[in-house]
Amino acid sequence: MDSKVRERNIARARLKFLESAESPPPLVPENIRDSWQRSKYLGVAISEVVVPYQPDYDRESRLVRAAAPVLDRLEQTLAGSDACVIVTDRNGWVRDRRVGELQLSAHLDRVHLAPGFSYAERFVGTNGIGVALEERRSSVVLGTEHFNERLQRVSCAASPIRNPISGRVAGALNLTCWNGPVSALMAALAREAAGDVERVLYELSTSSERALLEAFRYATHYGDRPVLCLGQDLLLANSAAAVRLTGDDHRLLREAAAELGHAPRTRRRVRLTGGQSVLVRCRQVDSPAGIAGYLLDLVFEDAPEDDAPPRAGHPGGQGRGRERGHGPGATVGGRPCPLPGLVGADPAWNTVSHIAAHCARARVPLLVYGEAGTGKSALARAAHAVTGAATAPVVVDAADPRYGAEAPGAADPSGPGDAPGRGGVSGPGDAAGAGGLAHTLRAAPTGPGRALVLRHLDAVAPADAPAVAEALAIAAATGTWVVATLGRASRIPDTLLRCFTEAVTVPPLRHRLADLPALVESLLRRTGAGVECAPDVLPLLRRQDWPGNIRQLEAVLRKAATGRRTYRIEARDLPPSLHSAGHRSLSAWEAAERDTLVEALLAADGNKLLAAQRLGISRTTIYRKMRAYGITLPPRP
């Protein structure tokens, strides 16, 4: 097909997709179709480029230093040409740019494709950088394939840059030129340049990291036995180990390795967090800089057979998350199930995500249990979005007082972004039904590609249960995906339980603390300000119980980001209560005293004598109160 004809057909397909609920036609490449769907779901602008700006970033980071010689070479090659080369970090923030001609440079400045701006897909929509980072593979986006029309004057090819030690994506290398006949070598050049950056990254790595990598490669070259390599700031695991270990397991094995490091012939049995035991043989890895870390050979005991697939009315029945090879509970080899806008690799969360995605695709009615703030409604929306649906779910809250019922915990949303669903209906036709809950459910838009979420199922009055069950059954019969959320295992009438074929329990945040770094990063991205956390913040967050779960974590981070004193969130920006590790409930007076004490210590940069003088108490009292409330402070700079 002629390139001009193809371009016109792609442009028409894009406009039709934006104006209707239909999926893009097959003439649009699959990765572009998927990116359009994600961009539309996220509400990315189509006529204006609105991206966050981060002026303060590390211009001497390892990625920037590794990319500099590669960009210098490409800059000489591209001099005078209508092309440019760009390097971004793993979150899409542009860190360096080299342009061949002034006209192209001016255009890229107008669309903010410049250092300090983010070209992540969630901000700009379909573009080479965003798609490459989202899908973790090379991508080419030509002219009219861009979601935002202001980017359609250019074409681009991007390739991820992976850390050669950990294998994780460290950034992306992007080539951009004016839209037109694009050389077939454009994508190959991007991949080659990304590979060059990866080689420089390896050369910049420490001798300890190299020693660990070489030991890991040697140990995993033959056979597929589980192998784990632990360094001070590095963890390597082959697939046989990765699918069976959690973050807490890594901590336990690191402690065992430290004890076994000097006795390489000794084996030790370690009990993992899930109750399973593993036999560990440890070998210390040395480097010119000293002890680099430990290499662990693991032998897992045979695990008991998985529980049966969960059924409605049995909260927590999602199983252990191991591979079953069938049914919605299968975890496909333990791989995380990516859902739009949600993050996490905890095994329990992984299983819940797979079940929800399976139920959404198969239109299987699903009952979601979980504490307030765990993200039950967010899970339903994301699972619905992963099917490629063009419309958001209709969310009805049974706890709305207009329906004549009052649910326990009705004021607690199920997770981040649940606010629209509070107090009635969200989605098409945002109106609470005057005829009661059943009438509202019957009036909701239904049909293939639609989803109906009923929050606080335990708020349905027993007298209304038959009518509500009938409305849900009618919706399910039309091809609508029916989901209900439940805060706790309350007694639900069998009439309602029979409406749901599957059930899952979303784990509370305190049970998936290994996902905390990813959750913090994801929640901070929502601020759009490029905020990050200082290293001493995560330990403070990790030791909290988080009774409000993800919703509470998000509120804490937003408040800290708003009141921060530097470009990143420091420990001193967190609420005073997070600096205390007490294990008992405090009275209002004690909580106020603790907060006053923490604020005084933070204002004095941790100087106990100065804080005591300002509070009018002795330094001995300061120390005694700190011990009583379990107060810890960030180290003084």
Side-chain angles (χ1 to χ4, degrees), residues 419-496:
R422 295 181 63 187
V425 184
S426 75
D430 286 355
L437 178 59
H439 174 81
T440 301
L441 294 171
R442 286 194 294 268
T446 58
R450 297 277 188 177
L452 177 61
V453 179
L454 177 59
R455 300 182 66 230
H456 296 116
L457 185 68
D458 51 342
V460 178
D464 296 336
V468 170
E470 181 182 5
L472 294 176
I474 293 173
T478 65
T480 303
W481 184 40
V482 176
V483 184
T485 68
L486 187 60
R488 57 174 178 255
S490 305
R491 178 155 182 81
I492 306 298
D494 289 340
T495 307
L496 290 175

Side-chain angles (χ1 to χ4, degrees), residues 54 106 284 381 434:
Q54 185 188 63
Q284 182 175 294
R381 283 196 296 269

